[in-house]
């Protein structure tokens, strides 16, 4: 069993034990396919026979109903079977969450039991030659004709291209700029292998994922029935977003097993390698390196399982799932490099699994939203949360003669809303935050409320008098204000702004 968490259910503990035994038994076979560069069909069939593909699928659709946590437990172990982990993950991503949340009951009954059986593999098709991180910019189009949709376009970088039977695609169903602005121009569909006009264009030679095909797909007047549409027309963006947290977490989980095997390898190897008449594990740098790898592994793993628990409880851990994906892949790349350094030249050969861990972790930093995109999500979504993003108020305390972080009212509260008082507030802020501007709301809060449009008009007057400078957004709206040197002089005598530490000699002041 992999190291369990106290919140795992009995069934999740059981599957953890079962999948670990399965993986241990099949490690050698996975290595065989890796070396032969063969798609591991026989192993994938064994995974299917064990029922692992159904881990996250509800029982009523022939699954095991073990949630995102169960799926992550399975992905983590299957990741130790190299390509098998990625095949499992991608197949889960090719519609599981999307179908669960957006399909009709009839569609669920049709697709979910197939997914659970794992007899057919799935691929997820978002990326196109001109649509990478900007996933909404799809050119592939779907046009309705009677009861059918006609798909034209291309997809690229598709994991499992060719070997998969089920392709979960996103296509443009509107060119109206207003609809596009609302992200209402995309619809999702399932296209099955063998549909006329649907062909494989290219297989990519990649840095990693050695025996998993990744390629380009071509859709040339591909006709599919309307029943293959998942979710309402124009709701494709929502369908895509619905699966993203799951995708990031299960994608992170796949690296967990590789981490654990790397740690094991490092202990094994460094207790047996002798240099300068000592085993290398006695060198402090080696011990520190292994300790760092263990620390990063445990932090990333614990946080990822915390996120799957949130997902299983019906929450949408958008920020957290991005952090988990970011940590697992960045830590993975970092730790793989460190492991290679500890192993020396042996770490660079293909005979040890560290070099492939490095190559795959690098891929991890690009797929399913690059590191930069994860950081963008973390920043943007955090900026919406008042607990992180709200104004910090400082009050000048005369007794201690310093600015104190304070929840008390400003000394300007209740003053009349006029030019003189607004300038005083803005100028006084120079004493507290000399290099910062104030937002209109900071000013309004200091004076204790009042009409925003009146305050804006006062800003404009003060600006025309050259008492303040206004910073405007692209639409011309005032978003920040600051007193000019002239404004500072008008508001208070210069002594108001002076401050010297007690030890500073009066004779040195001028
Ligand atoms: C091995 C592999 C497997 C894949 N599997 C699949 C799959 O199964 N299905 C699928 O649909 N796709 C798949 N992809 C595609 C993958 O999701 C994209 O490669 C990824 O989203 C990045 O898009 P891009 O490669 O076009 O890079 P680009 O979007 O062109 O990005 C190039 C660089 O610009 C940066 N960048 C872009 N936009 C911003 C921004 N707004 N702010 C800051 N930086 C930015 C990126 O972070 C990156 O560093 C796979 C890719 C690989 C390599």
């Amino acid at each position: 069993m992999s190291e369990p968490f106290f919140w795992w259910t009995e069934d999740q503990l059981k599957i953890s034990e079962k999948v670990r035994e399965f993986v241990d038994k099949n490690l050698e076979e996975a290595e065989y396919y890796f070396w032969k560069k063969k798609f591991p069909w026989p192993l994938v069939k064994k995974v299917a026979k064990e029922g692992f593909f159904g881990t996250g699928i509800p029982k009523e659709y022939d699954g095991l109903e073990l949630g995102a946590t169960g799926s992550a437990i399975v992905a983590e172990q299957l990741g130790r079977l190299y390509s098998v982990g990625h095949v499992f993950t991608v197949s889960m991503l090719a519609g599981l969450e999307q179908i669960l949340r957006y399909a009709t009951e009839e569609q669920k009954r049709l697709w979910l039991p197939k997914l659970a059986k794992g007899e057919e593999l799935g691929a997820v098709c978002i990326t196109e030659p001109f649509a990478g991180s900007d996933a909404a910019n799809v050119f592939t189009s779907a046009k309705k004709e009677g009861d059918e949709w006609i798909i034209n376009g291309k997809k690229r970088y598709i994991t499992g291209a060719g070997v998969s039977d089920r392709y979960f695609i996103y296509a443009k169903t509107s060119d109206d700029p207003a609809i596009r602005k609302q992200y209402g121009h995309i619809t999702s569909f399932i296209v099955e292998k063998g549909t006329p006009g649907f062909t494989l264009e290219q297989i990519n030679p990649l840095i990693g994922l050695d025996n998993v095909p990744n390629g380009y797909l071509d859709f040339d007047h591909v006709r599919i029935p309307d029943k293959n549409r998942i979710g309402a027309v124009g709701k494709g963006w929502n369908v895509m977003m619905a699966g993203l947290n799951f995708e990031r977490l299960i994608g992170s989980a796949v690296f967990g097993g590789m981490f654990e095997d790397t740690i094991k390898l490092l202990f094994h190897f460094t207790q047996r390698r002798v240099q300068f008449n000592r085993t290398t594990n006695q060198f402090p740098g080696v011990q520190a390196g292994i300790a760092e790898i263990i620390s990063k592994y445990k932090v990333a793993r614990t946080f990822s399982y915390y996120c799957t628990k949130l997902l299983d409880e019906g929450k949408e851990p958008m920020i957290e799932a991005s952090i988990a994906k970011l940590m697992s892949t960045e830590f993975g790349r970092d730790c793989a490099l460190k492991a290679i350094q500890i192993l020396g030249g042996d770490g660079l050969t293909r005979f040890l699994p560290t070099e492939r861990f490095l190559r795959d972790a690098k891929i991890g930093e690009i797929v399913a939203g690059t590191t930069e995109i994860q950081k963008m999500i973390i920043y943007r979504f955090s900026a919406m949360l008042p607990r992180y993003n709200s104004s910090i108020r400082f009050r000048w305390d005369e007794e201690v003669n310093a600015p104190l972080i304070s929840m008390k009212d400003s000394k300007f509260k209740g003053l009349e809303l006029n030019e003189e008082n607004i300038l005083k507030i803005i100028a006084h802020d120079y004493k507290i935050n000399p290099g910062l501007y104030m937002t209109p709301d900071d000013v309004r809060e200091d004076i204790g409320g009042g009409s925003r449009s009146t305050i804006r008009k006062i800003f404009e007057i003060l600006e025309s008098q050259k008492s303040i400078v206004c910073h405007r957004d692209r639409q011309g709206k005032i978003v920040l204000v600051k007193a000019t040197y002239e404004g500072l002089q008008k508001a208070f005598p210069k002594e108001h702004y002076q401050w010297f530490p007690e030890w500073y000699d009066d004779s040195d002041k001028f």
Side-chain angles (χ1 to χ4, degrees):
M1 192 196 297
S2 46
E3 190 180 347
F5 289 101
F6 62 84
W7 58 82
W8 286 4
T9 62
E10 271 306 306
D11 287 341
Q12 286 166 347
L13 290 169
K14 267 189 212 146
I15 194 115
S16 164
E17 206 165 322
K18 183 174 165 188
V19 68
R20 187 165 191 120
E21 269 171 28
F22 173 84
V23 167
D24 285 345
K25 228 186 272 169
N26 289 285
L27 273 174
E28 195 179 320
E29 192 176 335
E31 285 296 291
Y32 173 85
Y33 300 120
F34 165 75
W35 279 99
K36 291 282 183 190
K37 271 213 170 194
K38 273 191 165 173
F39 187 76
W41 270 125
L43 257 181
V44 171
K45 293 213 160 91
K46 281 193 209 172
V47 172
K49 205 168 156 212
E50 295 290 335
F52 293 136
F53 279 99
T55 311
I57 295 171
K59 286 186 178 149
E60 57 179 310
Y61 306 110
D62 303 343
L64 301 172
E65 203 164 312
L66 298 176
T69 303
S71 301
I73 290 170
V74 171
E76 182 182 9
Q77 283 305 313
L78 294 183
R80 299 173 57 217
L81 296 180
Y82 196 58
S83 51
V84 180
H86 298 291
V87 171
F88 169 79
T89 304
V90 166
S91 209
M92 288 297 99
L93 302 182
L96 172 54
E97 281 287 297
Q98 293 86 343
I99 291 170
L100 279 174
R101 295 197 201 187
Y102 281 93
T104 61
E105 190 52 40
E106 196 185 343
Q107 288 173 319
K108 286 183 190 170
R109 300 233 163 261
L110 175 68
W111 297 108
L112 292 176
K114 286 194 205 186
L115 241 116
K117 277 196 195 87
E119 286 166 355
E120 292 181 350
L121 296 179
V124 56
C125 310
I126 303 171
T127 310
E128 297 187 8
F130 306 112
S133 300
D134 185 7
N137 191 33
V138 288
F139 279 47
T140 296
S141 66
K143 293 215 162 48
K144 188 97 190 280
E145 224 182 76
D147 236 12
E148 288 183 327
W149 289 90
I150 302 168
I151 318 268
N152 277 293
K154 289 185 194 294
K155 293 283 173 186
R156 73 163 178 169
Y157 288 150
I158 307 308
T159 306
V163 290
S164 300
D165 293 280
R166 186 183 70 248
Y167 295 79
F168 201 95
I169 75 155
Y170 296 89
K172 185 174 60 149
T173 42
S174 170
D175 284 314
D176 182 338
I179 291 178
R180 203 207 134 101
K181 217 171 158 191
Q182 306 289 327
Y183 289 86
H185 61 298
I186 302 173
T187 305
S188 50
F189 303 92
I190 293 179
V191 180
E192 292 177 274
K193 187 167 160 177
T195 312
F198 178 37
T199 53
L200 187 60
E201 188 174 82
Q202 182 185 320
I203 291 294
N204 295 313
L206 284 178
I207 184 177
L209 301 189
D210 294 4
N211 50 337
V212 187
N214 176 292
Y216 284 57
L217 304 170
D218 185 71
F219 302 82
D220 181 5
H221 293 86
V222 177
R223 282 179 178 271
I224 55 165
D226 188 47
K227 69 177 171 58
N228 282 26
R229 170 175 51 80
I230 305 295
V233 175
K235 286 286 174 211
W237 186 253
N238 304 49
V239 175
M240 193 194 294
M241 293 299 118
L244 278 189
N245 290 332
F246 178 66
E247 175 173 339
R248 287 175 186 144
L249 294 174
I250 193 171
S252 306
V254 123
F255 288 104
M258 291 187 220
F259 259 113
E260 198 188 320
D261 282 352
T262 301
I263 294 165
K264 232 159 114 181
L265 173 70
L266 291 174
F267 276 114
H268 172 90
F269 187 98
T270 60
Q271 286 162 13
R272 288 160 180 81
R273 172 78 180 155
V274 176
Q275 287 294 291
F276 298 102
N277 210 24
R278 283 174 177 195
T279 52
T280 55
N281 72 337
Q282 292 181 62
F283 299 130
V286 166
Q287 290 181 4
I290 297 175
E292 204 177 303
I293 292 170
I294 295 168
S295 310
K296 287 190 166 160
Y297 158 66
K298 286 189 83 87
V299 166
R301 183 171 187 267
T302 307
F303 192 71
S304 293
Y305 277 110
Y306 161 71
C307 293
T308 57
K309 174 75 175 151
L310 290 180
L311 209 57
D312 287 338
E313 290 194 348
K315 308 216 168 62
E316 287 294 355
M318 192 77 183
I319 299 170
E320 290 79 3
S322 285
I323 296 173
K325 199 262 172 181
L326 180 72
M327 285 202 304
S328 306
T329 53
E330 273 196 356
F331 287 0
R333 186 248 308 134
D334 201 31
C335 292
L337 272 173
K338 197 153 263 135
I340 290 172
Q341 197 67 20
I342 291 169
L343 297 169
D346 286 331
L348 291 169
T349 71
R350 300 194 84 198
F351 294 126
L352 291 182
T354 34
E355 65 83 37
R356 65 182 106 135
F357 183 17
L358 174 63
R359 293 185 287 116
D360 283 2
K362 186 61 227 170
I363 288 179
E365 288 184 297
I366 303 224
V367 293
T370 64
T371 297
E372 291 74 21
I373 296 299
Q374 304 308 330
K375 287 181 181 169
M376 193 171 87
I377 293 167
I378 295 164
Y379 177 83
R380 287 195 184 163
F381 279 79
S382 299
M384 289 183 216
L385 300 176
R387 72 170 161 274
Y388 299 137
N389 190 9
S390 49
S391 64
I392 299 175
R393 295 170 57 82
F394 291 88
R395 188 181 59 79
W396 191 269
D397 189 280
E398 299 299 340
E399 195 196 331
V400 294
N401 196 26
L404 306 183
I405 292 178
S406 170
M407 303 301 279
K408 284 189 188 161
D409 288 339
S410 131
K411 66 177 180 179
F412 301 104
K413 186 171 177 185
L415 293 185
E416 194 187 330
L417 194 55
N418 60 28
E419 289 149 42
E420 187 189 343
N421 289 332
I422 291 290
L423 180 59
K424 274 196 157 59
I425 288 173
I426 300 173
H428 181 66
D429 189 60
Y430 170 77
K431 188 178 169 81
I432 297 168
N433 302 299
L436 300 186
Y437 285 67
M438 292 182 92
T439 67
D441 276 348
D442 292 341
V443 176
R444 185 171 174 269
E445 208 176 318
D446 268 9
I447 204 151
S451 146
R452 286 192 168 86
S453 71
T454 308
I455 292 175
R456 199 189 62 238
K457 278 185 196 129
I458 295 175
F459 288 159
E460 283 164 357
I461 295 168
L462 290 171
E463 186 184 33
S464 71
Q465 293 168 352
K466 300 202 173 1
S467 297
I468 65 167
V469 277
C470 297
H471 179 74
R472 291 176 164 77
D473 65 13
R474 283 190 194 159
Q475 283 74 43
K477 192 174 144 206
I478 297 173
V479 286
L480 292 168
V481 292
K482 189 74 203 160
T484 59
Y485 300 148
E486 225 175 311
L488 293 176
Q489 276 175 1
K490 265 193 225 168
F492 296 104
K494 70 177 181 324
E495 291 74 27
H496 180 78
Y497 306 107
Q498 287 176 335
W499 187 89
F500 303 101
E502 275 171 16
W503 52 264
Y504 198 75
D505 204 302
D506 275 350
S507 63
D508 287 335
K509 294 178 186 165
F510 58 90

